[in-house]
Amino acid sequence: MVATRMPVWWSKGASMPLPEDDLKRLLIKKYDVNKDGRLSKEELSAFFGNLGSICPNFRAYRAMHHARS
């Protein structure tokens, strides 16, 4: 049996990148547990944990610190 390779432009997993506003809207929709329109430190920690971060709490802390400054 000969393996056939799909052309690069026909990749099943390829998709267009999302604009920044759409990405923010999707993140808030999925991780905003209390539906207040903002992501808390705990909600950010869950997001970073799902991304595979080793220290999601630290990432959330740094994100909140960066957002405040």
Side-chain angles (χ1 to χ4, degrees), residues 26-69:
L26 285 173
L27 288 176
I28 289 175
K29 184 178 179 180
K30 182 170 182 174
Y31 292 101
D32 187 17
V33 176
N34 59 3
K35 305 296 183 206
D36 64 350
R38 299 178 181 189
L39 293 180
S40 67
K41 184 179 171 193
E42 292 78 21
E43 293 164 342
L44 274 175
S45 182
F47 166 68
F48 286 120
N50 284 339
L51 284 180
S53 176
I54 295 172
C55 302
N57 291 332
F58 177 72
R59 294 281 184 190
Y61 167 77
R62 293 295 297 155
M64 297 297 276
H65 178 75
H66 181 73
R68 288 186 189 121
S69 56

